[in-house]
Amino acid sequence: MRNSLILGLGYLLVVALTALFLQDPAIFYTYAGIFGLIFTGVAAILTGSCVSGDRARANYWISTAKDRAARGKWATYCFMIGFPNLLLAAVVYFSSL
């Protein structure tokens, strides 16, 4: 989990340095926001939070405990990559208004 957070922060650093070099904060919140939305969305899909109750129950009974644990692990990794990017993109966007 720590590696995924480092990966997300590394991407954030690359985008921040690019935005600083080009002196355009729009680059930062655009690319960091898109990256954050994609990985946070993948995490939401993997956890099954985007389906209705009957679909969630059906998915629960069809999958094994090992599959659910693996999906939960990948969802956590994706969330840890995407959330810092999404959070700092929002901070930069609202501070530049």
Side-chain angles (χ1 to χ4, degrees):
M1 186 163 58
R2 189 182 78 208
N3 291 338
S4 59
L5 182 63
I6 291 170
L7 180 66
L9 292 175
Y11 177 79
L12 191 64
L13 180 66
V14 169
V15 171
L17 290 175
T18 304
L20 283 174
F21 180 71
L22 297 175
Q23 297 178 351
D24 187 11
I27 290 173
F28 182 81
Y29 60 76
T30 300
Y31 288 109
I34 289 171
F35 190 76
L37 282 175
I38 288 171
F39 274 93
T40 306
V42 168
I45 290 170
L46 286 174
T47 59
S49 62
C50 299
V51 296
S52 63
D54 60 335
R55 301 277 182 180
R57 282 189 297 277
N59 290 339
Y60 178 81
W61 289 109
I62 289 172
S63 65
T64 64
K66 185 178 177 183
D67 291 336
R68 287 190 297 273
R71 274 197 320 269
K73 180 176 134 181
W74 279 103
T76 303
Y77 289 157
C78 289
F79 183 75
M80 294 301 289
I81 291 171
F83 185 70
N85 287 285
L86 194 59
L87 180 68
L88 288 177
V91 167
V92 170
Y93 177 74
F94 288 116
S95 68
S96 67
L97 289 180

